[in-house]
Amino acid sequence: MTQRTRTLRNAALVGVSTALLAVTAPVTASVAASPAEGLDWTTCQGAGLDPRQQCATLRVPMDYADPDSPRIDIAVSRIPSEHPGARRGALLLIPGGPGGSSLNDPSGKGQKLPQDVRDAYDLIGFAPRGLAPSTPVDCGLDHGDLATSKLRPWPAADGSVDANMATARRMADACAANGGELLGHLSTANEARDIDRLRAALGERKLSAWGVSYGTYVGAVYAQMFPHRTDRIVLDSNDNPDPTRVARAWLAGHEQGVEDTFPDFAAWASKPDNPDRVASRAADVRPLFLRLAARLDREPLPWPGANPEELNGNVLRQTMLDSLYSPSRYPTLAKLMRAAQQGTVPPAPAAPPEAVLQNVAAVGAGVLCNDVAWPTSAAVYEKDVAESRAKYPLTAGMPRNAMPCAAWPYPPREAPVRITGRGPSDVLLVQNERDVATPLSGALKLREALGRRAVMVTVNSTGHDAYLANGNACGDRTVSRFLATGQRPGTDTYCA
């Protein structure tokens, strides 16, 4: 594996991601009963990987409803248990997105796990269907439509959604023309089926998992479809599982997520000893940001080498959204605000190769749009955007606007999976109190849906990704203890 694979995962975090009735029993049953295809483990290719990491390819059906469906490749990786005598099973690292990969995570974040967890499990990564080096998809989008501020549906300065609807049609048409048959079979339910094929190919009766961000929805869907194949399930930074909206609820969550996290940025950006200080008081940072965005709406600054090649209000807003994912990113937003105040721009941000962005964008669109039907009427989005802009000015209506799904040419092949409390009580949710991408309000919806199956640890911290990332020591200890021993808190817990 190469740097390209690592870039895929990173690009997904800021470029694309962010977006029930039971699945039909015959399809689910056929998956559970299907014989597993073996895995031929070989040395992984690429620099920077742990030499113990091994790679393999899993063959799965493109269409689980068709016994004669063509097979596609799923790229898989593992680092075996470091203490075979203490080995419990396999821990699947489920990536975010849609459009993220965990293929290099056994060598990366997997090595942050405590020793007793690495002793207990083989660490398993994979590139979900459609994402290279698994069998890939590509919509052939226009270069301008790969801009992060275009992939997120920021409305016009006056709140108009006309350009967003035109972009949705253009992108959906490109996907229909260039995406190929596999694009229509990208979905969370199919990823869950692929995971169960992987479980069987690994020779595991049950599977443990650590799912992050969109991976929490994947993990919840897997636990719903294959409840008795689950062992210890950690869901970290949790998506709202609303079966009527699915990804629309995830996008809408950014309204509250920004409101929850922006005060933390404002406090940091007004500290006297901060070299990137933008204001003398925390209370001044929000109005300053809003004024800057409005000014850049009217008078964009040229930004050679960027996409788009100007710093406009929506580019500033998108930078704000990206920067609130982690306090370590706050300087990016502060530096851009300081430059904009002076009428200048910093060097253009580095971008992944266009082929990577094309692949990630296609996977994201395919999953988001195939999981659930989105409204197709501009009037629906006009009304929602106007309400959002009035209540949440920092996000300017984007979280309720039209994605390519508003013009998607394919109806969903099956109803979204409704998450319920039916199944073994083996799920631990960990959630930062202030999370821009998966806010606590949405996480509580998943906690409610899982009922007696789950316990939730809420962490007094700011940032997206809690466990071993932006959380705190109390939360990390709680999750590590569960993975290593199976011990969970007796009730929902707050980690101050």
Side-chain angles (χ1 to χ4, degrees):
M1 282 164 294
T2 64
Q3 178 64 35
R4 180 177 184 275
T5 306
R6 289 189 288 276
T7 307
L8 267 170
R9 183 187 63 219
N10 295 335
L13 289 176
V14 298
V16 180
S17 54
T18 73
L20 296 162
L21 301 176
V23 180
T24 54
V27 174
T28 302
S30 70
V31 177
S34 297
E37 299 183 34
L39 296 171
D40 182 15
W41 295 105
T42 61
T43 301
C44 296
Q45 303 300 311
L49 298 175
D50 190 302
R52 298 170 298 168
Q53 182 169 304
Q54 304 167 331
C55 290
T57 300
L58 176 70
R59 301 278 287 171
V60 301
M62 179 186 297
D63 181 359
Y64 281 97
D66 179 4
D68 299 320
S69 171
R71 263 43 182 174
I72 59 172
D73 291 343
I74 304 294
V76 182
S77 64
R78 76 172 178 185
I79 291 181
S81 160
E82 296 181 23
H83 187 345
R87 184 184 182 278
R88 178 180 179 85
L91 178 66
L92 181 67
L93 309 175
I94 307 178
S101 170
S102 65
L103 201 56
N104 289 332
D105 283 356
S107 292
K109 74 175 189 178
Q111 296 308 302
K112 297 181 181 179
L113 290 162
Q115 187 66 52
D116 54 357
V117 177
R118 287 183 280 126
D119 289 345
Y121 299 101
D122 297 344
L123 304 182
I124 309 296
F126 71 111
R129 60 169 51 207
L131 192 71
S134 297
T135 303
V137 292
D138 186 322
C139 287
L141 301 177
D142 293 345
H143 174 74
D145 288 338
L146 293 172
T148 310
S149 57
K150 187 66 72 70
L151 291 168
R152 294 285 179 90
W154 297 97
D158 63 357
S160 169
V161 305
D162 291 346
N164 303 108
M165 293 299 292
T167 297
R169 287 190 293 270
R170 183 172 61 251
M171 294 175 70
D173 287 348
C175 288
N178 306 315
E181 184 181 2
L182 175 56
L183 188 68
H185 295 281
L186 302 182
S187 70
T188 304
N190 277 340
E191 183 171 336
R193 296 180 178 112
D194 293 343
I195 287 172
D196 204 57
R197 284 293 180 97
L198 175 55
R199 174 202 58 77
L202 291 168
E204 300 294 332
R205 187 174 64 87
K206 292 186 176 184
L207 190 65
S208 294
W210 171 18
V212 179
S213 192
Y214 165 68
T216 63
Y217 183 63
V218 176
V221 168
Y222 180 76
Q224 185 70 36
M225 294 173 65
F226 304 98
H228 298 294
R229 297 299 188 185
T230 59
D231 187 13
R232 297 171 184 168
I233 305 298
V234 172
L235 304 181
D236 173 2
S237 305
N238 297 275
D239 273 322
N240 182 345
D242 183 346
T244 65
R245 297 191 297 164
V246 191
R248 289 186 68 210
W250 310 339
L251 189 67
H254 286 89
E255 295 172 333
Q256 190 60 51
V258 167
E259 292 296 328
D260 291 345
T261 54
F262 195 89
D264 194 77
F265 167 75
W268 172 89
S270 58
K271 288 182 177 179
D273 59 348
N274 184 351
D276 295 314
R277 189 185 194 196
V278 301
S280 59
R281 301 185 308 157
D284 295 332
V285 178
R286 181 187 179 105
L288 170 62
F289 176 85
L290 292 171
R291 288 196 304 273
L292 275 175
R295 192 183 84 193
L296 291 169
D297 283 335
R298 300 187 302 270
E299 302 171 1
L301 298 171
W303 203 357
N307 186 14
E309 290 200 331
E310 66 176 26
L311 173 56
N312 57 42
N314 284 339
V315 170
L316 181 67
R317 295 180 184 102
Q318 181 61 49
T319 303
M320 178 266 296
L321 192 64
D322 294 342
S323 298
L324 295 183
Y325 269 66
S326 171
S328 65
R329 300 186 188 180
Y330 289 174
T332 300
L333 175 58
K335 290 178 190 298
L336 189 60
M337 291 175 65
R338 286 165 61 92
Q341 283 181 288
Q342 299 166 9
T344 63
V345 293
E354 185 154 321
V356 172
L357 292 177
Q358 290 283 4
N359 184 209
V360 173
V363 172
V367 174
L368 298 179
C369 303
N370 291 336
D371 268 2
V372 69
W374 288 52
T376 58
S377 168
V380 171
Y381 297 106
E382 287 171 355
K383 177 177 179 294
D384 286 351
V385 165
E387 292 177 355
S388 181
R389 286 167 65 86
K391 189 173 182 180
Y392 302 98
L394 285 171
T395 46
M398 181 280 292
R400 299 195 210 177
N401 205 357
M403 298 281 280
C405 312
W408 201 242
Y410 315 110
R413 294 174 180 268
E414 56 188 317
V417 175
R418 181 182 294 275
I419 305 303
T420 74
R422 294 191 297 272
S425 183
D426 58 5
V427 181
L428 178 64
L429 279 64
V430 59
Q431 177 69 40
N432 280 348
E433 200 167 11
R434 298 169 296 280
D435 183 330
V436 68
T438 55
L440 177 60
S441 54
L444 290 170
K445 297 292 187 182
L446 181 57
R447 171 67 188 92
E448 179 182 8
L450 285 167
R452 56 166 293 278
R453 295 199 67 179
V455 171
M456 181 165 168
V457 180
T458 303
V459 179
N460 179 17
S461 193
T462 302
H464 187 54
D465 296 1
Y467 181 47
L468 303 180
N470 292 310
N472 66 20
C474 166
D476 290 351
R477 283 194 305 270
T478 304
V479 176
S480 295
R481 182 168 58 245
F482 172 62
L483 288 174
T485 70
Q487 180 184 348
R488 291 184 312 178
T491 60
D492 290 354
T493 302
Y494 183 73
C495 270

